[in-house]
Amino acid sequence: MNVPNRPYDVLLLDFGGVCLLTPFELHRYLETQLELPTGSVTWMGPFDPSTDDLWRELFASDSLREREYWSRRAALVGESVGRSMTTADYARILYEPPRPELVRPGATRVVADALAAGLGVSVLTNDLRAFHGREWEKSVPLLQQVDHIVDCSDTLILKPDMRAYQRAITFVGVAPERVLFVDDQPLNVQGAADFGMAAVWFDVTDAEQSWNEVATHIGL
């Protein structure tokens, strides 16, 4: 596949954060669901690292990875309401049932435009099925529109491991340099670049502008 006058043939997207709202953006919804006082969940990750010691630790050393960050956050949320809580439990509270407002408008727009322009669009995610499950996945229209969902939950070989990117390339069937990869985690962006893909960092704190930049990169 080669799209005339386009710099890339495939748009390869992370899902959580890039396409799906982050848990940070759903704190007020979480408080409502758990009957917590409004404003009681104060850690804001990339939106305000000064409020979030675990987020700062995630970027300060190799001792904490993103999966562990969310596992610990889920456990702390559970403690606040006196119960045990896994990351999957936490995700169910925030994201079930699937609903349109959970998906970023920019994702819906750019994916549709890219597909209409003849580009391939696929997802490379670390945690989709681990956090949400296959039935949830089937209920999200955006995920039904893309060509491939390459979920590292299936193999436990996670980004930024080079084998994760190689697996994605096997699915999409084009050379790495013909792929634009988009992720909100700098380590994953660097991993894709090291593998030979064009890779851009997605700023979740300015998501719609980030989607505008993605559209520009792919010539839309």
Side-chain angles (χ1 to χ4, degrees):
M1 174 178 59
N2 190 281
V3 181
N5 303 317
R6 300 289 189 198
Y8 306 104
D9 298 322
V10 171
L11 177 61
L12 184 62
L13 302 169
D14 182 35
F15 185 66
V18 173
C19 300
L20 188 71
L21 294 182
T22 66
F24 308 106
E25 295 164 270
L26 297 172
H27 280 343
R28 303 294 82 85
Y29 180 81
L30 176 71
E31 291 163 352
T32 299
Q33 295 300 106
L34 296 179
E35 299 182 345
L36 292 168
T38 300
S40 59
V41 182
T42 59
W43 41 273
M44 289 301 297
F47 294 88
D48 187 354
S50 69
T51 65
D52 196 333
D53 57 343
L54 283 180
W55 189 260
R56 295 195 303 274
E57 183 181 344
L58 179 64
F59 289 94
S61 70
D62 292 331
S63 63
L64 184 67
R65 294 292 189 182
E66 193 177 12
R67 272 197 178 193
E68 177 63 17
Y69 171 88
W70 287 115
S71 176
R72 289 169 64 176
R73 277 294 173 213
L76 289 168
V77 169
E79 287 177 15
S80 72
V81 291
R83 73 193 209 207
S84 169
M85 189 177 294
T86 66
T87 306
D89 296 330
Y90 178 52
R92 276 191 291 273
I93 294 168
L94 292 180
Y95 296 104
E96 291 189 3
R99 46 204 190 274
E101 61 267 26
L102 293 173
V103 175
R104 298 195 187 283
T108 301
R109 181 184 73 253
V110 175
V111 167
D113 289 349
L115 290 169
L119 277 77
V121 181
S122 291
V123 165
L124 174 60
T125 173
N126 274 354
D127 301 306
L128 177 59
R129 291 163 189 156
F131 287 3
H132 301 287
R134 288 182 181 270
E135 290 308 308
W136 187 92
E137 174 188 322
K138 292 175 184 177
S139 300
V140 178
L142 183 75
L143 291 173
Q144 304 313 303
Q145 294 166 12
V146 301
D147 300 307
H148 305 284
I149 299 171
V150 185
D151 190 348
C152 299
S153 297
D154 296 339
T155 62
L156 298 183
I157 298 171
L158 308 179
K159 300 173 292 184
D161 190 308
M162 293 294 107
R163 294 173 294 173
Y165 305 106
Q166 180 58 61
R167 183 165 172 250
I169 286 298
T170 300
F171 274 91
V172 303
V174 302
E177 61 268 21
R178 297 299 300 172
V179 175
L180 179 70
F181 175 71
V182 182
D183 201 294
D184 63 315
Q185 293 297 312
L187 277 177
N188 297 340
V189 173
Q190 185 60 54
D194 291 344
F195 183 74
M197 296 179 184
V200 297
W201 174 67
F202 187 96
D203 182 0
V204 297
T205 71
D206 195 1
E208 289 309 296
Q209 178 58 31
S210 290
W211 272 113
N212 289 339
E213 292 171 3
V214 170
T216 299
H217 276 291
I218 59 176
L220 295 178

